[in-house]
Amino acid sequence: MVAKLYNTNPQGFPGYRNLDCPLYASCLDQAVNQSWPTFSCQHCFLQNFRQPLRAENIEMEAPGWVDIWSQAEWEG
């Protein structure tokens, strides 16, 4: 798991989440695997790291994306 390789430390309680972290998805996966209803980045050394999300880095083949993109209203 990527999150453990970098010593991230998501905690299974409500709190601040760094949505701009490059490892956010890995921590989210860890929370799901642990059946946590929420998690916090409060104790992670990357809690204030910012990496803007780029559309080309999003996994477009993930379940549900077809429904999301098919409902989007695009200006042409």
Side-chain angles (χ1 to χ4, degrees), residues 5 20-21 36-37 46 48 50 56 74:
L5 292 175
D20 295 323
C21 178
W36 295 341
L46 292 173
N48 296 316
R50 298 284 183 255
E56 59 268 16
W74 301 98

Side-chain angles (χ1 to χ4, degrees), residues 20 51-60:
D20 295 323
Q51 177 177 322
L53 182 63
R54 298 176 56 98
E56 59 268 16
N57 295 336
I58 297 174
E59 177 59 57
M60 300 298 188

